[in-house]
Amino acid sequence: MPDDEHTLIDDYQPREAASDNEFTLVDDYEYTAKEASRIVGKARQTLANMRAQGTGPAYRKYSERCVRYPGWALRQYREKYPIVLPFRGEA
C-alpha cells in the first residue's frame, strides 16, 4: 500500500523557511498526547509524569484515557523550552 493511505493528523509541518525543529501549530486544534510528544520533544510517559506533577504544557482531560493539548499551550511550551538537538559535527 502507498504510504499516503496511512496518514496521521499532521498539520504541524515544518515551514519552508524554518529550521527542521520549527513547526506550524494550529492554536485552536487539540493535539493528542502522541502528537504533543512529537511537538515538544518529550516521551508520552514524560508528559504523563509532568501532568501528575503539575508541570509541562496546559492540557484538557476529558476522561482517564483522553488527554488533549491545545495548540496554543504547546506553542507557549516550545517558546519557553526549545528543543535542543545534539551536535553532529565532526569529532
Side-chain angles (χ1 to χ4, degrees):
M1 288 183 179
D3 289 335
D4 57 332
E5 290 184 21
H6 301 287
T7 58
L8 296 174
I9 297 172
D10 207 22
D11 52 4
Y12 45 89
Q13 294 294 326
R15 292 179 240 155
E16 288 181 25
S19 66
D20 289 340
N21 64 343
E22 290 187 41
F23 300 96
T24 302
L25 292 170
V26 179
D27 285 345
D28 295 336
Y29 184 78
E30 292 187 338
Y31 294 88
T32 65
K34 182 177 182 179
E35 293 168 328
S37 70
R38 289 180 59 201
I39 293 168
V40 299
K42 306 276 185 201
R44 280 188 280 176
Q45 187 59 49
T46 301
L47 287 177
N49 292 343
M50 294 168 99
R51 288 193 305 270
Q53 296 171 358
T55 61
Y59 64 94
R60 293 185 178 112
K61 190 169 187 176
Y62 292 104
S63 69
E64 194 62 35
R65 297 182 59 146
C66 183
V67 176
R68 298 291 185 261
Y69 293 87
W72 60 264
L74 298 175
R75 179 186 313 283
Q76 286 179 349
Y77 187 85
R78 286 282 306 263
E79 289 171 358
K80 190 172 181 180
Y81 304 103
I83 296 174
V84 179
L85 300 175
F87 178 71
R88 294 192 177 173
E90 295 192 24

